[in-house]
Amino acid sequence: MKEVLVLYYSRHGATEKMANLVARGIEMVEGVQARLRTVPNVSDVCEAVENSIPESGAPYVELDDLQKCDALALGSPTRFGNMAAPLKYFLEKTSAHWLSGTLVDKPAAVFTSTSSMHGGQEATLLSMIIPLLHHGMVIYGLPYSESDLLTTKSGGTPYGASHVAGSDNSNTISAEEKRLCIALGKRLAMSVAS
Ligand SMILES: Cc1cc2nc3c(=O)[nH]c(=O)nc-3n(C[C@H](O)[C@H](O)[C@H](O)COP(=O)(O)O)c2cc1C
């Protein structure tokens, strides 16, 4: 069985919903399963330590998950046009994997959620891709053969899946955004299915 790590951070739940859709797409491909993992919050109170098990959502990722996975889907809310600090913090702990080439040639894809339509989705997705390229990963976006890219009135980009959650995060994931999340997961899974 091949495994795709779906690693995400979500404060208000939008990116988590997207992660579940990406996982659904992954598991549509025979012989491939999704492993959902998240990262703890970071705190400016340095003594603060999160419980080892989150109160809700996926378990926390371990560095070993990167070794085990055959591919990676990375999801983050947009924070000032960039990925959220907890994910970046986790990535900055992966030097040993970078040195040993753990992720070289493994496929990867990215997804994000913003509050506003032009709030920097593409900037975030591209900035999330950069550390994955440093790790030697092979990036999968969404091709325009996914016709939802042409008709969506909210999220969905060739750089990865996206969702416009609204200023109070109350927007439901649109039909197009949903299909594009699933398509991204499916595409990633098909790249590793044997
Ligand atoms: C510090 C901070 C910075 C943010 N920056 C942006 C931004 O640049 N553009 C945007 O549209 N939304 C921005 N947002 C809103 C989140 O991206 C949006 O609410 C997202 O859907 C939250 O995802 P989540 O529910 O997975 O936590 C920001 C939120 C915070 C807390």
Side-chain angles (χ1 to χ4, degrees):
M1 181 69 81
K2 299 284 185 177
E3 190 172 276
V4 178
L5 176 63
V6 182
L7 175 60
Y8 69 93
Y9 171 72
S10 182
R11 183 77 171 188
H12 301 292
T15 312
E16 182 173 43
K17 284 185 202 140
M18 296 180 76
N20 286 323
L21 290 165
V22 170
R24 194 194 298 177
I26 288 165
E27 298 205 335
M28 281 175 176
V29 178
E30 206 182 317
V32 187
Q33 68 183 18
R35 185 181 185 86
L36 275 160
R37 290 293 182 268
T38 188
V39 291
N41 286 311
V42 291
S43 168
D44 49 11
V45 182
C46 294
E47 292 78 16
V49 179
E50 291 263 17
N51 291 331
S52 58
I53 299 171
E55 279 175 20
S56 62
Y60 291 134
V61 68
E62 292 174 12
L63 285 169
D64 196 38
D65 289 322
L66 296 176
Q67 185 81 52
K68 286 190 196 136
C69 74
D70 296 292
L72 170 70
L74 188 67
S76 174
T78 286
R79 293 276 165 93
F80 302 125
N82 213 308
M83 81 176 93
L87 262 189
K88 185 128 193 310
Y89 182 73
F90 172 74
L91 289 174
E92 287 180 17
K93 291 189 292 185
T94 60
S95 305
H97 283 315
W98 171 69
L99 283 170
S100 61
T102 303
L103 295 172
V104 171
D105 288 340
K106 288 187 181 178
V110 292
F111 54 99
T112 190
S113 173
T114 57
S115 61
S116 57
M117 180 76 108
H118 300 292
Q121 295 191 339
E122 285 90 344
T124 301
L125 294 170
L126 289 171
S127 70
M128 291 171 76
I129 286 169
I130 293 169
L132 305 184
L133 287 172
H134 278 256
H135 271 288
M137 303 195 84
V138 179
I139 307 301
Y140 279 74
L142 282 164
Y144 273 92
S145 49
E146 296 295 337
S147 59
D148 286 313
L149 279 183
L150 293 164
T151 56
T152 180
K153 298 275 187 289
S154 50
T157 87
Y159 311 109
S162 63
H163 166 54
V164 180
S167 56
D168 57 357
N169 269 301
S170 64
N171 293 355
T172 51
I173 297 186
S174 73
E176 290 85 356
E177 291 172 338
K178 185 175 175 179
R179 284 193 292 267
L180 289 167
C181 284
I182 291 172
L184 189 68
K186 201 170 172 186
R187 189 165 193 228
L188 201 53
M190 283 170 68
S191 76
V192 296
S194 37

